[in-house]
Each structure stands twice: as structure tokens, then as C-alpha cells.
Amino acid sequence: MKLLNALPGAVSQGVIWGIMAIGVYITYRILDVADLTVDGSIATGGAVAAVLIISGCNAWVALVAAFVVGMLTGLVTGMFHTWMGIPAILSGILTQLALYSINLGIMSNKANTAVNANKYDLLVSLRNVRNFSLDNPILLLLMITAAVIALLYWFFGTEYGCALRATGANVNMARAQGINTGRAKVGLVALSGALLTQYQGYADVSMGRGAIVIGLAAVIIGEVLFGKIFRNFATKLIAVSIGAIIYYIVMQVVLWLGLPTNYLKLLTALVVAMFLAVPHWKSQLFTARSARKGEKQDA
């Protein structure tokens, strides 16, 4: 019973982090960039949203502002990589490092900033998870996720979106065709941070620690479980979102079984490693079967 009561919260968190995972999918699978900026930019989005809401800003406006700021952090990483020639992984690490100080500055040098649902009109809140009413955040979160996926599906069908995909597929060919590969590599993550801040009721300077691993876990889980079913671009994004939900349900089950919270990061690493290994194991199994069939035919 205790597990069932905790599942709505796990699903809500999964949907929120699923938006972040979609951003990881875009940089990792489409742009072919291992962007480690996300560990900092998700906290940036949360900090921006928290400060704006406390200042009296509408929660929707704060959400859009967090999205724009998140895009700027991705642009900084892109500038490090393309204009300064710094490797993509190191560019993300540099931006992530800089964002820690920036996030502290946004929150007036405080490690965390509370956003009380009783004082402010928030879009989503943890306290409403178990209420089967219009205030339940799951429905709104699903609608926001659907809107994000629809917008991305439209965007990647445009000329510029096709240029982005060409950049990831072959940077040299894209550059030869006149595509601005430097401008193409930007990120999408802070929107998730803004929603997470409202959902949990606070923004923390370290709230994005390990975010890239969670994002990769969602991407890999979605691909392994639904890769053969979901082949369309939009459905692949849905699979990533579902992967995040599955990840958080698994985490909730593990907590229910009594595993200390100190080991959650270790478990996350193991889950990602296992799902990353599945395609390799399948390939080895297929190769072994093909070899055995060839031996039988030769015999």
C-alpha cells in the first residue's frame, strides 16, 4: 500500500525529468554531443523560476524565462566548443562549473531558495500529487510534455531543424553545405528545472547533480524497451519520457525495498550500465548464433 501511494509522486518526477531527458536525447543522439552542461543548467532554470516567482512574476512567465536562460547556457557551451575549439565534453564541464557560481548569484548567494505553494500560485506542487482533482500536477505535466514533443517534432521538420540533424550526422558535410554548425549546437534542459523547483517547493544550487546520468538512463531505457516499436521521431521522444518515468518507478521500488538513499547514485550508474550493455549483449548473441549456423551449413 505504501508503494502504491508513492507511485503518483514517482510518475510526476519521471515526467518532469523526462523533459530534461528529451534535451539530453537531442544533444546526445541527434547532435552527437556529450553535453555535460545539464548538471548546471537544470539548477539555473530552477533558480531563475524561483527568484522570478518570489518577485511576483507569473509562474508561466517564469517558466518561459527559465527556458530562455537555459538556451543561453547551451549557447555558451556551443561557443566554447565551436568558436574556441574546446572539446565538447570539456566545454560542458566548463559551463557547468561556471553555472554553479552564477546560480548562487541568481539566488543572492543562498544555496537554496524556497517557493512555498501556500504563498505563491505555482503550476505544479508535490502536495497535490495524491489529490484526484484539477490541481493534480500529473495531467498538466503530461500536457506540457506533449506540447514540448509537438514543438520539437515541428521544429526538426523545418529547414533549420534539418540542418541540426545534418550537423549531428556529419559535421564536415554540414559545414560544406553552408550550415552554421556553431549556432546549431544549443541545449534544452532548464525548463525541466523550473518545473522541478515548483514541484518540490525549492531551488537548490546542487539540484542538478547527476542529472546527465538520469537523462542518459531515461534515453537508454526508452531505446532498449521501445526502440523497435517507436521509430518515428516524435514517438522516440515519447519513449525517452516513458524511460524517465520507468527510471523513477524503479527508484521508488528500490526505496520501498529498504535500500539506503546513500546508494541511489550507485544504483543509477548500475541501471545505466546494464541498459547500455543490452544492445552489446544482443549483438554478441546474434553474432554467436550466426557463427553456429554457418558451422552447421559448412558441416
Side-chain angles (χ1 to χ4, degrees):
M1 192 66 180
K2 187 177 180 180
L3 177 61
L4 291 176
N5 290 334
L7 285 181
V11 172
S12 296
Q13 275 198 297
V15 177
I16 292 173
W17 284 89
I19 296 173
M20 183 275 298
I22 290 173
V24 173
Y25 177 85
I26 290 172
T27 56
Y28 182 61
R29 287 301 191 206
I30 297 179
L31 301 183
D32 195 27
V33 175
D35 189 2
L36 301 181
T37 310
V38 298
D39 281 24
S41 61
I42 193 170
T44 303
V48 169
V51 170
L52 288 177
I53 290 172
I54 291 172
S55 301
C57 185
N58 180 274
W60 284 105
V61 176
L63 204 64
V64 174
F67 173 79
V68 172
V69 171
M71 292 291 288
L72 292 176
T73 63
L75 182 61
V76 170
T77 302
M79 290 169 61
F80 281 151
H81 178 50
T82 57
W83 290 5
M84 300 178 69
I86 301 173
I89 293 178
L90 186 55
S91 297
I93 293 174
L94 289 173
T95 306
Q96 176 193 140
L97 183 65
L99 285 175
Y100 186 87
S101 297
I102 293 172
N103 295 341
L104 280 174
I106 292 173
M107 294 190 290
S108 302
N109 295 319
K110 297 177 182 177
N112 52 67
T113 300
V115 185
N116 196 322
N118 295 321
K119 291 179 62 177
Y120 306 103
D121 188 16
L122 306 180
L123 298 177
V124 293
S125 176
L126 175 61
R127 68 175 184 175
N128 297 324
V129 168
R130 295 183 178 89
N131 299 330
F132 293 97
S133 65
L134 293 176
D135 292 330
N136 192 305
I138 295 178
L139 180 60
L140 179 58
L141 289 171
L142 289 174
M143 292 173 63
I144 293 174
T145 301
V148 168
I149 292 174
L151 183 62
L152 289 173
Y153 182 74
W154 167 80
F155 173 73
F156 279 100
T158 63
E159 183 178 351
Y160 186 67
C162 290
L164 277 172
R165 287 193 285 181
T167 299
N170 190 324
V171 175
N172 293 328
M173 180 62 72
R175 190 178 292 115
Q177 295 295 325
I179 298 170
N180 188 333
T181 57
R183 190 176 57 177
K185 295 181 178 178
V186 294
L188 167 71
V189 171
L191 177 67
S192 174
L195 286 170
L196 183 62
T197 290
Q198 295 183 52
Y199 176 78
Q200 64 189 13
Y202 67 91
D204 190 277
V205 71
S206 300
M207 62 189 286
R209 184 175 296 169
I212 184 64
V213 179
I214 296 174
L216 287 174
V219 171
I220 300 304
I221 291 171
E223 288 182 340
V224 170
L225 296 181
F226 306 105
K228 292 184 178 181
I229 304 172
F230 297 163
R231 298 181 180 276
N232 179 273
F233 177 68
T235 55
K236 286 181 179 180
L237 297 182
I238 293 173
V240 170
S241 185
I242 296 174
I245 295 172
I246 293 173
Y247 168 82
Y248 269 95
I249 290 176
V250 170
M251 293 296 108
Q252 195 61 57
V253 170
V254 170
L255 290 174
W256 175 69
L257 292 174
L259 183 74
T261 55
N262 293 339
Y263 294 102
L264 282 181
K265 297 296 183 183
L266 173 61
L267 179 65
T268 298
L270 292 176
V271 168
V272 174
M274 289 293 292
F275 276 96
L276 280 170
V278 168
H280 175 67
W281 290 339
K282 284 183 176 180
S283 176
Q284 283 191 326
L285 182 61
F286 177 78
T287 302
R289 285 179 177 176
S290 299
R292 284 196 296 268
K293 286 182 180 180
E295 290 176 358
K296 289 179 180 180
Q297 289 176 356
D298 292 339

